[in-house]
Amino acid sequence: MAEKKPAKKPQKRYYRKRVELFLLIDKIKLWPSRKGLLHGIKTINMTGDKAQITTHCNKTFMITNSRNSRAARWLRNKWFKGVCGACRVPEWKLAKYSATYFKRQYGSALLKENETDVR
Ligand SMILES: [Zn+2]
């Protein structure tokens, strides 16, 4: 017997607009492709300011840790036309992402605890 639970809305979360791209994608595990499709990230291998990303649909590519890159902007602005069917991004992940906001003055910069969020 399945228990009926009311659909839980994901809590709103706030990140800084200037949040580091690598920290952000490591957290949300989503990648907006140039074609406007949102892919699920399977692995991120960071080396310095470069990282190799593998998506769940098994595409591998290198990215640079830039807050001003196309992908960083698209992620912040939630610009995507659709979601990659092969990646099977779960609904809860998309719901979480749509409840994520990027603010200039407020939110986590995703820094380690001994670092400060205040700028
Ligand atoms: Zn994909």
Side-chain angles (χ1 to χ4, degrees):
M1 253 189 354
E3 209 179 302
K4 267 207 171 160
K5 282 186 197 148
K8 228 171 96 187
K9 267 202 172 164
Q11 231 177 3
K12 284 182 186 175
R13 59 195 65 224
Y14 295 90
Y15 295 133
R16 293 298 177 102
K17 264 202 172 136
R18 303 282 297 162
V19 64
E20 234 184 71
L21 177 62
F22 284 2
L23 297 176
L24 180 65
I25 57 173
D26 193 37
K27 192 86 182 172
I28 65 177
K29 298 272 167 46
L30 291 168
W31 180 260
S33 77
R34 228 166 257 280
K35 285 180 182 159
L37 278 185
L38 213 52
H39 293 270
I41 296 176
K42 191 155 70 177
T43 57
I44 310 171
N45 289 313
M46 303 177 206
T47 36
D49 65 344
K50 301 245 187 259
Q52 189 186 53
I53 300 236
T54 303
T55 62
H56 282 282
C57 57
N58 284 317
K59 286 189 182 76
T60 298
F61 46 88
M62 296 294 292
I63 64 163
T64 305
N65 195 10
S66 164
R67 299 172 172 97
N68 302 318
S69 64
R70 174 201 61 83
R73 273 184 293 120
W74 287 19
L75 269 181
R76 282 197 300 263
N77 295 322
K78 297 180 187 157
W79 285 342
F80 59 96
K81 291 192 294 212
V83 181
C84 171
C87 274
R88 296 166 180 256
V89 180
E91 207 55 52
W92 62 262
K93 200 180 260 189
L94 294 172
K96 214 164 151 183
Y97 178 45
S98 69
T100 299
Y101 300 90
F102 297 90
K103 298 265 181 202
R104 197 194 296 253
Q105 308 281 4
Y106 178 72
S108 170
L110 292 172
L111 299 172
K112 290 175 209 88
E113 268 171 41
N114 58 352
E115 291 173 272
T116 173
D117 272 1
V118 181
R119 266 164 206 256

